[in-house]
Amino acid sequence: MSLIQLLDFKALGDSRGQLFSIEGSKNIPFEVKRIYYMFDMEKSTPRGFHAHKELKQVAICVKGSFKMLLDDGTHKHEVVLDKPNTGIVIDKLIWHEMHDFSDDCILMVIANDYYDENDYLRSYETFIGYLGDL
Ligand code: TYD
């Protein structure tokens, strides 16, 4: 599986405004159990800095822009997300960091499971160690 998996959502808007639709297991690769969203982020305060043992997510920059760094333990890649029609898959066992939020950034994340702190690998050393034990 490639490290960077971008999803392109079809624009359904018209003269009345923009519209995008996310449907579990149709235009994202899993059933949806949770949605969370963030805004009013401090530009200079990055977030994330963890990986998940099992959770799969798709992040969509609904407004503004930010940078997403993905790292599978071997390769790292940073992507600018600045379009509401683009989702980026954060697969399980991918270390991720979010940087450089624009003032107007609204970030929506869709997840295939409920919040579970036990699913987090919250230090890079723990992440690399967990990969080594698989
Ligand atoms: P945190 O994991 O620190 O966010 P980020 O990945 O952006 O660094 O989450 C912040 C707090 O919110 C933390 O106490 C966990 C809690 N939280 C939930 O309760 N439910 C959720 O769905 C998420 C994503 C976080």
Side-chain angles (χ1 to χ4, degrees):
M1 193 63 82
S2 77
L3 179 57
I4 303 300
Q5 301 172 60
L6 295 174
L7 306 175
D8 188 20
F9 303 121
K10 187 178 173 199
L12 302 169
D14 54 30
S15 58
R16 297 168 298 166
Q18 297 288 2
L19 175 66
F20 292 92
S21 170
I22 310 294
E23 295 185 293
S25 298
K26 289 195 175 175
N27 57 357
I28 61 168
F30 50 75
E31 287 296 324
V32 178
K33 273 201 176 171
R34 177 166 53 111
I35 297 169
Y36 58 96
Y37 46 94
M38 289 171 258
F39 51 92
D40 285 352
M41 281 81 79
E42 273 282 318
K43 185 181 175 69
S44 57
T45 310
R47 302 188 65 132
F49 294 87
H50 61 255
H52 288 281
K53 296 173 191 168
E54 295 296 337
L55 190 73
K56 295 180 186 177
Q57 304 183 94
V58 169
I60 302 164
C61 190
V62 174
K63 192 171 176 65
S65 65
F66 74 101
K67 291 177 187 154
M68 173 77 87
L69 180 130
L70 298 183
D71 177 348
D72 63 8
T74 308
H75 301 103
K76 292 180 208 289
H77 199 93
E78 190 172 69
V79 180
V80 176
L81 287 177
D82 59 0
K83 295 181 191 70
N85 62 313
T86 302
I88 187 164
V89 177
I90 308 168
D91 217 333
K92 69 177 187 175
L93 299 175
I94 299 291
W95 182 262
H96 51 285
E97 302 174 11
M98 294 159 278
H99 298 266
D100 293 348
F101 299 101
S102 64
D103 286 343
D104 60 348
C105 181
I106 301 174
L107 168 58
M108 180 170 73
V109 185
I110 300 164
N112 76 335
D113 212 343
Y114 302 121
Y115 175 75
D116 175 9
E117 188 58 39
N118 293 322
D119 189 61
Y120 281 72
L121 300 164
R122 284 203 183 269
S123 84
Y124 196 76
E125 292 68 28
T126 313
F127 166 59
I128 295 297
Y130 190 87
L131 291 180
D133 290 343
L134 288 177

